[in-house]
Amino acid sequence: MYSKSIITAVALGATSAFAAQDVRTHGVGYFWDSPLVEARMDPIITPGQISSHVHTVVGGDGFSTFMDNDAASNSKCTQSRVDGDKSAYWFPALYHQNSDGSFTKVELDYVKAYYFFEPTDDDILPFPSGFRMISGNPFVRQPVTLPYSDNVDPNAGPVQAVSFSCPQDGYSNAYSASESTNTGQGAGFPDAMCNAYASPLRYNIHFPSCINTDLPFTDYANNTAWPSSAGTTGGKQNCPEGYTHTPHLFIEAYWNTMDFTDWTAGQGQQPFVLAQGDPTGHGLHADFVSGWDEDVMKNLIATCDSGAHGDGLDSCPNVQAYAGTPTSCNVASANPTEVVNGTLPALPGCNPVQAGPETAVVCDCSSGKPVCDGSSPPSPVPSASASGSASASASAMPSASASGSSSAGASVSASASVSASSASTTATSISSSANSGSGSGGSGPTPTPSTTTASSSTVVSSPSETASSEPSEPEGGDGTDDQTCGSDDDDDDDEEPKPSPTPESMVRRHARHLDFHKRSGLESFS
C-alpha cells in the first residue's frame, strides 16, 4: 500500500520526516475555483452507481463513479496548486430554496484543504495512494453536542467534525452562543448574512488522522479513528495502537451565498439546503481519496509550515507548483441529461427536504412523489470510542449520552441508501456540470463491502436492497416537503452554460482571498 521508499524509511527509522513533533505545523492547499464536476457521483459509497445526491468535487481528473487505488494518482491533471496532489475531495452541493418551493444551485466560490501536522508522540506518515475516508453523516439533523465545541479530541468530549463559518462585515468571526442563531462559527447553517470580504458562507470538515492499513481501503466505516490526548502531555494526540498517524486533513469550502439576498436574517428561516435535502446543515459531510505523491507528502511533513504566514503548500521547500489553469482540468460527463445547476423544481435524485430533528430517512420516489416512511434504513456509521478508536455503530446516527459521551466519531456519508426508483431510473445517467473535456477514471473490480454481525458490522446496502418494494403513502408530519421528485431527464435547453473563468481572474481571486486571511488573522481552522 505504501511506496517502496516510504517502507524503507520506516524500516530504517532514521528520517526526520516521520519523527514525533512537539508543535503543530501546517500548510494550505489551494484549488482553482471551478469545480472539477458537480454530479450525483460518489465512488466511496456507491462505486460504479448513481449517488443519492449531488456532490461538488475538486481535485484530480481521475475522479469517476468508480476509482481503484491508482485512479487518483493516475490523474492527467489536477486543480490543486501542488503538482503532487491529484487527490479527490468532495462534499454535498449547496442549494437555495426559493419561496415557490424551487431550488437554485449556489455557486462554489473556492476551496482550501489544510494539512495539519499535529503535536504527537507518533511518527506521521503520508497517506497511502488510493486511501479513502469520509467524515460527517448526511442523515443527521441535530448537533452532536450543545453548546457547540470545535472539538476533534475524543478524550475532551464528543467529536464535532463538521461546522459552518459565517464571517461578517468587519472581519468578525466570533463564535455564537447558540447553534440555532449561529452568526460566527457553529453547528448547522447560520441564520445570518455571511458577507465578510472575500469570505462568504463556509463549510468546515475535519477528517480523522489515524488509519488502519490492515483493513481494505473500501472498509471506510472501520479503517479510521481520531487521535486522542489520553495519556499524553503537552497537547499531544496519539493514535490507537495498530493505527498509522497521517496528516490531519481539514477542508474549507466557500459558497457565493451573497448572490441570495431575498431573505431576512435572524427570523429562523434561513433558506439554504444541502443536496440531500438537509435544511439544518447538521448533515454536512465530505469524502477524500488520496492521490498524493507519497514522497511529496513526506517532504511536506518534514519541512512545511507555510500556513503560519498565510502561504500555500505550493510555497513549501522543494514543492513543485502545478502549472495548469482552471479550464484545463475537468471530468467529462458520462451522460449529461440531468440538470443540477440553475433553478430546479426539486433537488436532483429523491431528496425531499427533511428538517428533523429526528434522523432523516431514505425516501422512495417511484410513485412520482416522495414516500418517506422509514422502511429503508441508511447505512451504519462508524463511531469513536473514548480512546479514539473507530468501531462500527449499529445506529445510523451519532448519539450523545447523558454524560456527554458521543458515538459521533468519523461519521459516514451514508448515501449508499438511495431509493429503488432513483437507482433504477438513473442507472445510465450520471449527472454532471463539468466543463467540456475528457478525464481519466479508475478501473478494476468493484469493491465488495463485507457484512458481519451488528456488534461490529458495517453493511453497505445496495440501492435495490434499501428501498421499499411496496411503498405506501406516508402519514402526516414526517418532516418532509410535499414536493415532486427530481427528474433524471430534465430539459436543459433553457440553462445557459456559465462562462469559464480566466486564469487571470482566478489569480486575482486567490490574491484577494490570501489578502483577506492575512488581514483578518483567519489562517487557522478555528
Side-chain angles (χ1 to χ4, degrees):
M1 292 181 180
Y2 281 111
S3 69
K4 184 176 180 180
S5 62
I6 299 297
I7 295 173
T8 301
V10 173
L12 294 174
T15 173
S16 61
F18 307 125
Q21 57 187 67
D22 296 325
V23 297
R24 165 193 282 170
T25 56
H26 77 287
V28 186
Y30 293 94
F31 300 85
W32 297 115
D33 299 281
S34 295
L36 187 72
V37 65
E38 290 185 294
R40 284 201 287 144
M41 301 169 70
D42 191 331
I44 294 181
I45 302 299
T46 51
Q49 303 176 44
I50 304 298
S51 174
S52 65
H53 56 273
V54 177
H55 291 105
T56 298
V57 187
V58 298
D61 72 344
F63 180 83
S64 66
T65 55
F66 172 76
M67 298 178 69
D68 65 14
N69 292 341
D70 297 321
S73 296
N74 288 338
S75 295
K76 293 184 175 66
C77 63
T78 179
Q79 294 180 308
S80 172
R81 300 294 295 271
V82 176
D83 187 58
D85 181 17
K86 295 181 172 65
S87 306
Y89 311 76
W90 66 98
F91 34 81
L94 183 65
Y95 288 85
H96 176 276
Q97 186 168 17
N98 305 311
S99 58
D100 63 358
S102 63
F103 298 85
T104 300
K105 174 71 177 57
V106 181
E107 180 186 10
L108 178 70
D109 193 6
Y110 62 105
V111 175
K112 295 159 66 177
Y114 290 70
Y115 284 88
F116 292 104
F117 315 117
E118 307 280 11
T120 182
D121 297 312
D122 302 329
D123 294 333
I124 299 179
L125 297 179
F127 298 103
S129 179
F131 181 77
R132 56 205 64 199
M133 59 180 171
I134 57 187
S135 185
N137 183 342
F139 295 96
V140 170
R141 297 294 185 270
Q142 56 182 306
V144 171
T145 183
L146 288 174
Y148 167 76
S149 173
D150 187 23
N151 176 52
V152 291
D153 177 6
N155 189 52
V159 170
Q160 177 70 58
V162 300
S163 65
F164 290 81
S165 288
C166 183
Q168 308 283 294
D169 277 337
Y171 307 109
S172 170
N173 195 37
Y175 283 73
S176 62
S178 170
E179 280 61 57
S180 62
T181 57
N182 172 23
T183 58
Q185 176 169 324
F189 281 118
D191 186 10
M193 292 287 184
C194 309
N195 55 6
Y197 171 68
S199 188
L201 177 70
R202 184 179 88 204
Y203 292 177
N204 303 313
I205 306 105
H206 292 276
F207 284 82
S209 53
C210 302
I211 67 175
N212 185 346
T213 56
D214 291 333
L215 295 177
F217 291 172
T218 53
D219 191 1
Y220 60 83
N222 296 294
N223 63 8
T224 60
W226 299 93
S228 171
S229 62
T232 68
T233 58
K236 295 182 177 181
Q237 291 180 230
N238 296 338
C239 287
E241 184 176 357
Y243 283 73
T244 298
H245 204 141
T246 60
H248 170 190
L249 171 61
F250 172 71
I251 294 176
E252 292 181 345
Y254 295 76
W255 300 88
N256 279 330
T257 52
M258 290 182 290
D259 290 344
F260 302 89
T261 59
D262 58 342
W263 62 288
T264 302
Q267 302 298 310
Q269 299 291 328
Q270 77 79 31
F272 297 104
V273 180
L274 298 178
Q276 74 270 26
D278 175 16
T280 70
H282 298 306
L284 180 60
H285 55 283
D287 304 55
F288 168 76
V289 173
S290 180
W292 274 98
D293 180 307
E294 293 176 28
D295 290 327
V296 172
M297 178 55 74
K298 170 186 170 183
N299 173 69
L300 292 174
I301 295 170
T303 66
C304 184
D305 194 21
S306 64
H309 41 87
D311 293 325
L313 289 169
D314 51 310
S315 68
C316 291
N318 304 313
V319 172
Q320 180 177 348
Y322 184 67
T325 65
T327 58
S328 66
C329 191
N330 47 70
V331 172
S333 169
N335 189 354
T337 60
E338 181 181 62
V339 177
V340 301
N341 276 315
T343 297
L344 310 171
L347 295 171
C350 185
N351 293 292
V353 173
Q354 299 184 64
E358 64 277 359
T359 306
V361 298
V362 178
C363 300
D364 182 0
C365 286
S366 59
S367 64
K369 294 184 68 175
V371 175
C372 307
D373 59 6
S375 62
S376 304
S379 300
V381 298
S383 61
S385 68
S387 63
S389 62
S391 60
S393 168
S395 169
M397 178 172 174
S399 60
S401 68
S403 62
S405 63
S406 173
S407 61
S411 306
V412 166
S413 169
S415 58
S417 303
V418 297
S419 70
S421 64
S422 175
S424 63
T425 59
T426 60
T428 60
S429 176
I430 304 293
S431 64
S432 168
S433 62
N435 298 326
S436 60
S438 61
S440 60
S443 61
T446 301
T448 302
S450 59
T451 58
T452 57
T453 60
S455 60
S456 61
S457 66
T458 298
V459 181
V460 181
S461 303
S462 68
S464 61
E465 293 171 336
T466 60
S468 172
S469 58
E470 297 181 0
S472 58
E473 290 298 324
E475 296 179 1
D478 63 356
T480 65
D481 278 2
D482 184 18
Q483 63 183 50
T484 57
C485 295
S487 172
D488 301 306
D489 56 354
D490 295 312
D491 184 1
D492 57 1
D493 293 339
D494 296 331
E495 183 181 39
E496 296 183 2
K498 295 180 180 180
S500 299
T502 64
E504 292 79 10
S505 69
M506 294 300 97
V507 170
R508 288 195 300 270
R509 181 182 251 180
H510 277 291
R512 188 174 75 246
H513 298 159
L514 287 172
D515 173 64
F516 161 67
H517 282 284
K518 287 179 179 179
R519 285 197 281 156
S520 61
L522 298 182
E523 196 63 69
S524 69
F525 70 82
S526 60

